[in-house]
Amino acid sequence: MNKQVLQLSDAQRHEFQQDGLLVIPGFYDLEADIVPVQRAIHRVVGQVMKRHGIPDVRQTFSSERFDDGYQSLLALSRTYGSEVYDAVKQIPAFIRLLADFRHEMLFTALRPGAVPGIAAGGYGIRIDNPGEDRFRAEWHQDYPAQLRSLDGLVFWSPLVAITADMGPVQFCQGSHNNGAVPVLTMNSERSNKNGAYALHLKDEASLLERYTKIAPLTSPGDLVIIDFLTLHASGFNRSDRSRWSLQFRYFNFDDPTGLMHGWKGSFAAGVDFKHIHPELCAD
Ligand SMILES: O=C(O)CCC(=O)C(=O)O
């Protein structure tokens, strides 16, 4: 979207308020915003190859195949995949986009009067690899995982064209309207997961039944804005390509809950959610 014409219509604001979710097709400028991130990922994959003495025989960069070589790295060693995962969060073009003023403007358009902040540790590039179900985000709200403020927003955007077999993110339409859901923090079924990933919604099955689920198929340049209280989960990637996506999280310094706890971060910031919100811990 052209930087001069960033405006949300009344219909878009209404849709977000109603659904806790808003898809804005073609929000980012592909050449200016997205391709630089893809190009840098291509280079970082090359650096991981270099570090491990793997010959780089890839073709030159193209936006459609920016992750060339990544599947081969994964096949050689899962650890190489994790190195890429951690490294790509440090790409300057990605960090530039994180702090882009359009995110601040969207935040204040959707939360009039808010004082926007970037949730430290709340940004990243997800790589959902085919068949790796154990790294999926199970049904959750972002607030317990992030804290900072109850009225935060996730700006989610794909780096690849999302197809149904890639397991698009699923959302419970309108679920944010019921506020923060109590969670179980100890969960034997998720004993292989840590921190926020181990949280389990109380009465999950009956809660999820209440809502219509949607799983928008989006393309590079599209933006999905998610309320911190909207229930959502990763899909199951059954394709042969990794599902790459950007996540930027913003919060509101003027939110009463954030003001109460001092905009604390959650698990990733070393904070025990139970100490901040004992009333939301069902166990
Ligand atoms: O991209 C996904 O699979 C999940 C994303 C998510 O849960 C989030 O951004 O909060």
Side-chain angles (χ1 to χ4, degrees):
M1 181 176 284
N2 185 308
K3 296 194 182 195
Q4 309 310 316
V5 294
L6 173 59
Q7 267 178 3
L8 287 182
S9 64
D10 289 346
Q12 285 173 310
R13 275 200 296 272
H14 177 74
E15 184 179 332
F16 181 76
Q17 273 153 21
Q18 186 178 274
D19 294 347
L21 181 77
L22 179 66
V23 180
I24 311 183
F27 177 80
Y28 295 110
D29 181 319
L30 280 180
E31 285 307 314
D33 300 323
I34 302 300
V35 172
V37 178
Q38 294 172 327
R39 191 182 294 282
I41 292 174
H42 188 263
R43 288 204 182 124
V44 167
V45 168
Q47 291 305 113
V48 173
M49 290 174 165
K50 184 174 182 177
R51 199 175 107 66
H52 295 288
I54 301 162
D56 185 353
V57 292
R58 300 173 302 160
Q59 294 182 356
T60 50
F61 167 81
S62 83
S63 171
E64 291 71 34
R65 302 295 325 169
F66 71 90
D67 58 341
D68 254 5
Y70 175 72
Q71 294 304 326
S72 324
L73 275 180
L74 264 189
L76 282 171
S77 164
R78 184 63 186 74
T79 323
Y80 299 164
S82 306
E83 278 184 22
V84 172
Y85 197 94
D86 291 338
V88 292
K89 295 185 175 88
Q90 300 166 85
I91 286 173
F94 167 68
I95 301 292
R96 275 197 291 279
L97 196 53
L98 162 69
D100 193 283
F101 86 103
R102 287 168 292 177
H103 296 137
E104 231 171 311
M105 289 180 72
L106 283 174
F107 200 100
T108 39
L110 292 169
R111 308 284 197 223
V115 181
I118 293 175
Y123 51 87
I125 300 181
R126 279 187 72 97
I127 316 173
D128 288 273
N129 297 317
E132 280 195 344
D133 295 355
R134 88 191 160 97
F135 295 117
R136 289 178 52 248
E138 308 267 359
W139 285 102
H140 69 286
Q141 295 175 312
D142 266 44
Y143 179 65
Q146 302 293 331
L147 288 176
R148 307 293 176 192
S149 76
L150 197 60
D151 60 356
L153 300 179
V154 188
F155 298 107
W156 186 103
S157 182
L159 287 173
V160 294
I162 307 287
T163 52
D165 61 349
M166 271 183 189
V169 186
Q170 306 169 68
F171 301 92
C172 286
Q173 232 172 357
S175 51
H176 65 305
N177 285 320
N178 284 330
V181 174
V183 288
L184 302 163
T185 58
M186 286 173 289
N187 177 11
S188 52
E189 278 168 43
R190 294 191 190 162
S191 54
N192 62 342
K193 302 206 176 200
N194 296 318
Y197 284 98
L199 295 181
H200 194 236
L201 299 166
K202 182 169 182 275
D203 302 326
E204 181 177 276
S206 56
L207 181 67
L208 297 177
E209 262 174 28
R210 290 201 229 154
Y211 301 104
T212 303
K213 320 277 182 311
I214 53 168
L217 297 182
T218 48
S219 293
D222 296 350
L223 172 64
V224 184
I225 309 177
I226 311 161
D227 189 296
F228 260 23
L229 295 178
T230 300
L231 294 166
H232 60 292
S234 305
F236 294 82
N237 189 346
R238 297 292 176 255
S239 74
D240 56 7
R241 183 150 192 213
S242 298
R243 179 166 65 78
W244 295 72
S245 59
L246 310 173
Q247 289 80 39
F248 307 121
R249 292 185 180 84
Y250 275 55
F251 71 100
N252 176 11
F253 281 109
D254 200 33
D255 165 68
T257 309
L259 283 165
M260 181 268 294
H261 61 59
W263 316 293
K264 287 215 165 40
S266 194
F267 297 92
V271 172
D272 190 340
F273 178 69
K274 285 199 286 292
H275 294 154
I276 309 289
H277 282 295
E279 80 288 4
L280 287 177
C281 292
D283 52 11

